[in-house]
């Protein structure tokens, strides 16, 4: 329904609705996606270890100080 109303593909229409409904939540989702995408190999390796050992594991990721995602609300929140 949103796609038809906004005359956009479903994905873009959904993003627009989420962004309008909760800008902070949308920013957090987008930031988390950028962090995971940039560290995909490290996260996949950690996941394999967790599955193999059947335990929770710590993972090391890299975040550049210039990374836009690192400056987003998800990271700079003071909650």
């Amino acid at each position: 329904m949103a796609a038809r109303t906004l005359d956009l593909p479903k994905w873009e229409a959904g993003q627009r609705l989420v962004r309008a409904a909760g800008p902070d939540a949308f920013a957090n989702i987008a930031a988390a996606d950028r962090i995971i995408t940039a560290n995909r190999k490290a996260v996949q390796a950690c996941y394999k270890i967790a599955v193999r050992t059947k335990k929770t594991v710590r993972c090391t990721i890299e975040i550049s100080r210039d990374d836009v995602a690192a400056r987003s609300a998800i990271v700079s929140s003071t909650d």
Side-chain angles (χ1 to χ4, degrees), residues 13 17 26 47 57 64 69-70:
L17 286 175
F26 181 80
Y47 179 73
V57 297
S64 166

Side-chain angles (χ1 to χ4, degrees), residues 35-56:
I35 291 168
I36 291 294
T37 299
N39 290 279
R40 184 162 314 280
K41 287 182 181 179
V43 173
Q44 287 173 337
C46 285
Y47 179 73
K48 287 179 182 178
I49 294 169
V51 168
R52 189 175 63 244
T53 63
K54 298 180 181 171
K55 294 181 180 179
T56 300

